[in-house]
Amino acid sequence: MDKSSRHIMIDLETMGTSCISAIASIGAVAFTLDGETEALCHIGVDLQSCVNVGLELDASTVTWWLKQSKENQERLLALKTKTLKDALVALFDSFVLLDKVKTCVWSHGSNFDTVILENACKLVGVPVWWKYSNVRDTRTLFDVCNYKYVASGGHDALDDAMNQAEAVAKAYSQLTRR
């Protein structure tokens, strides 16, 4: 990995666990492998706009959200929402100064956040901003480094993205010290 490259950590809060889940919020953080972080965006997504294009709500996930702390629920509901298309455009607009070819896009798991975003983009006709070969996965890095990641916070997309970005920088520093 090029230590001087920019990296983006994306985290979603969704209303399901499948690759076509409705998106409730998006958090994105720019970071370097040296541990510098900068919040890029925290966007609430109108669930009806997700359902209207074919993304799905899963009853068990909705029930799970209803069982979360009042604080977690309120933080999610307090976000001003945009339609799915407008949210995706706003997300990608926050990347405008970054080089698409050199920027890595990360998520916590290889088959969730970025996959859901790519599917959502296809459904609303928004081109995916990142280059397919620049998608990265925290869980693989943590496993390779034997880094013990412990999630903190309360299911807030921006907080989760920030925590994951900081953990990637710590795991990477462990890897490079070997």
Side-chain angles (χ1 to χ4, degrees), residues 21-36:
S21 294
I23 301 168
S25 68
I26 305 168
V29 173
F31 70 101
T32 67
L33 295 175
D34 289 329
E36 297 172 32

Side-chain angles (χ1 to χ4, degrees), residues 143-157:
D143 187 49
V144 167
C145 296
N146 197 29
Y147 180 83
K148 303 296 181 210
Y149 175 71
V150 178
S152 61
H155 300 291
D156 177 85

